[in-house]
Amino acid sequence: MNSRIKKFFSYYKPYTGLFLADMACAFLVAAIMLVLPLCARYVTQNVLEQSTPDTLSQIYGMGAVMLALVAVHTLCNLFVDYRGHMMGAMMESDMRNDLFDHYQKLSFSFYDDQRTGQLMSRITNDLLSLSELYHHGPEDLAIGIVTLVGVFIISLTINVELTALVFLFVPIMTIYAFYFNKKMNRAIRTSRERIGDINAQVEDTLSGIRVVKSFTNEAIEKRKFAYENSRFVESRRDDYKSSSYFSGGMIAFTQLITVAVIIFGGTSIINASLDLADLLTYLLYVGILTEPVQRLVNFARLYQEGITGFGRFMDILEIQPDIQDSAGAIELGSVQGNVQFKDVTFKYKKDQDYVLKNICLDIKAGEYVALVGSSGVGKTTLCSLIPRFYEVGDGEILLDDHNIKNIRLRSLRRNIGVVHQDVYLFAGTIADNIRYGKLDASLEEVIESAKKANAHDFIMQLSDGYDTDIGQRGVKLSGGQKQRLSIARVFLKDPAIIIFDEATSALDNESEKAVQDSLEKLTNNRTTLVIAHRLSTVINAQRIVVLTGNGIDEQGTHGELMALGGTYANLYNMQLRL
Ligand code: ADP
Ligand code: MG
């Protein structure tokens, strides 16, 4: 908890100067608000008494002072409103940066359990309330306390009975305000969660919009959305109800106090225990009395809201990425590409069954190994252990005789290229997407790798060639075209080890031919691990490894395994018959 408090205040640090100036202005605003009624009192007293001959010039003099005060007040308010808000916004953006950085550090297993919409909500909505707290919090607290105490002291010097009467209302008013404020708070928190749900729902539907349409299930999606949306309205209802009670009540209290002051003050004037100027001053103070109470209550709300948001923020920030560089992690120079699984055991969740058990596998640098086995036996899992997307349970994986846990993640992953079945392309141009494999690649390099990946020809047929903008996720390209772009990316990256995870399974025969062709070019002189669904594509592999539920069942060349007549031969014959 202590570290959270420290973290909370640490965001002020870059803006210390701005913050102090902001606070100084806030104090000035409060002070001037307190002084103005005193000036008015001075003028009224002069008018009523007309004691000296130069009353008029005194009134003008005081008028000038008041104008000056008003000018300073306005400037300070401007500063607080503009620069203060900017400070809050900048702090908010610092936090957003931190959270985004952290999102990028968290591992696959974190994202397996999260809904993207909720994560988006945290980085957008949740932080909004924090900027408000960072900026308005100290200011509300300062102005609130200074004005409240100031009004109390000044009015005491004017008239004790009236002050007692007025300040009788203050505790009642405060309790009232707190009560409804708390209700408002609860409603706000719920509505924030509901907004997260709405985001998650929209994200889900829009990501799957093609599935929705092909099943013509728009009505179901609409119903799911309408449900989340109506839950949001519910939470707003509670919020608005209590906030209208809140502000309505505050206005009523002000009016009540005013009436009480007029009645009691009027009587006092008749009894000659109060003069007209004092009564007027009093009424002015009553007018500003609700302001500090509202500010303090507002502070309580900002605090509550902001702390909730900060809690949600820290909940994520405090999650240690379960895969990160160990203390003495080494940087790999040139990598040969020997990969060795030593008795590797793995499961995704503590309470789940083992996906891989006692896997021993030795892949020599430059070797071309195919991994086959029925769906769900753990082929993808096995491959994702090599770049440390998930952490090995027992046993270890060695890369060129170094345990991968002792290699810097960047260094490890830079040397491994993965081509998946589904390709993710980012919004941007074709060239941008290929260049993702090597950010400083020249256009020549990009074109060269596109040629190797058999992608150059179709790219040149597009309207803008390499500058063609592909929609998000590359929907404007066919599956085979996207796959070839992703291979061009890996050509640019030029890793020592390559993993193909069913890269051609979803393609038609013609695209498969083109992709297969470019794959073969890519595998030259590199350690290659191919997961293939269609066994005809791995016949030429130097070694075929057959994975079953009980681990590695058999390995050897196509000819050897066929002669063995075991699992592989069965699988192969079955596919031939299809
Ligand atoms: P294959 O690639 O051989 O078809 P996978 O490696 O994808 O098989 O999956 C192996 C097993 O692990 C399956 O039972 C699957 O349900 C499970 N699995 C895969 N990915 C995850 C994950 N992210 N979290 C939990 N279980 C998973
Ligand atoms: Mg798989």
Side-chain angles (χ1 to χ4, degrees), residues 374-381 421 501-502 531:
S374 43
S375 161
V377 293
K379 304 182 294 294
T380 300
T381 308
Q421 178 174 339
D501 189 350
E502 313 218 15
I531 301 177

Side-chain angles (χ1 to χ4, degrees), residues 90 384 433 533:
M90 287 187 288
S384 57
N433 266 289
H533 183 64

Side-chain angles (χ1 to χ4, degrees), residues 430-431 434-435 441-457 459-460 465-467 488 491-492:
I430 297 253
I434 297 179
R435 205 173 269 132
S442 66
L443 188 59
E444 283 71 40
E445 287 177 278
V446 169
I447 294 177
E448 196 193 310
S449 59
K451 280 183 178 158
K452 287 187 196 155
N454 292 343
H456 181 70
D457 292 341
I459 295 174
M460 291 317 284
Y466 282 85
D467 291 329
F491 264 117
L492 258 192

Side-chain angles (χ1 to χ4, degrees), residues 244-363:
S244 63
Y245 272 110
F246 174 75
S247 43
M250 294 314 272
I251 294 171
F253 270 116
T254 317
Q255 289 169 335
L256 218 63
I257 300 177
T258 312
V259 173
V261 167
I262 290 176
I263 306 278
F264 188 82
T267 340
S268 305
I269 290 180
I270 292 176
N271 296 339
S273 57
L274 189 77
D275 65 28
L276 197 55
D278 285 344
L279 180 60
L280 189 93
T281 319
Y282 244 95
L283 287 174
L284 288 175
Y285 277 121
V286 168
I288 58 173
L289 189 63
T290 47
E291 158 126 2
V293 173
Q294 284 205 21
R295 273 191 190 265
L296 288 178
V297 170
N298 191 41
F299 170 76
R301 185 179 60 93
L302 286 180
Y303 177 79
Q304 282 285 340
E305 250 192 78
I307 286 301
T308 317
F310 190 70
R312 276 164 66 93
F313 169 77
M314 287 306 288
D315 283 347
I316 299 241
L317 216 58
E318 280 171 358
I319 296 176
Q320 286 294 325
D322 50 6
I323 294 177
Q324 44 185 334
D325 286 340
S326 63
I330 57 163
E331 189 78 29
L332 286 183
S334 65
V335 170
Q336 291 181 305
N338 293 298
V339 178
Q340 210 176 347
F341 282 71
K342 277 190 165 173
D343 237 355
V344 170
T345 298
F346 175 79
K347 56 180 164 184
Y348 280 98
K349 297 263 153 54
K350 280 198 185 70
D351 48 0
Q352 270 179 354
D353 284 341
Y354 284 102
V355 178
L356 300 173
K357 256 199 235 162
N358 306 104
I359 300 290
C360 293
L361 183 63
D362 208 343
I363 305 173

Side-chain angles (χ1 to χ4, degrees), residues 363-465:
I363 305 173
K364 293 273 168 285
E367 199 179 1
Y368 185 114
V369 174
L371 191 59
V372 301
S374 43
S375 161
V377 293
K379 304 182 294 294
T380 300
T381 308
L382 189 144
C383 288
S384 57
L385 294 180
I386 304 174
R388 260 182 103 197
F389 290 148
Y390 295 92
E391 197 82 291
V392 169
D394 292 326
E396 54 185 26
I397 298 178
L398 306 180
L399 171 60
D400 288 352
D401 295 328
H402 301 289
N403 186 333
I404 54 169
K405 286 187 187 172
N406 301 328
I407 300 173
R408 290 229 180 96
L409 269 182
R410 275 189 68 86
S411 173
L412 174 70
R413 291 184 184 164
R414 205 178 44 226
N415 285 295
I416 302 172
V418 186
V419 181
H420 285 290
Q421 178 174 339
D422 29 65
V423 176
Y424 190 87
L425 296 175
F426 292 94
T429 65
I430 297 253
D432 290 341
N433 266 289
I434 297 179
R435 205 173 269 132
Y436 209 74
K438 182 184 171 199
L439 298 179
D440 56 356
S442 66
L443 188 59
E444 283 71 40
E445 287 177 278
V446 169
I447 294 177
E448 196 193 310
S449 59
K451 280 183 178 158
K452 287 187 196 155
N454 292 343
H456 181 70
D457 292 341
F458 87 78
I459 295 174
M460 291 317 284
Q461 278 167 16
L462 297 172
S463 53
D464 295 319

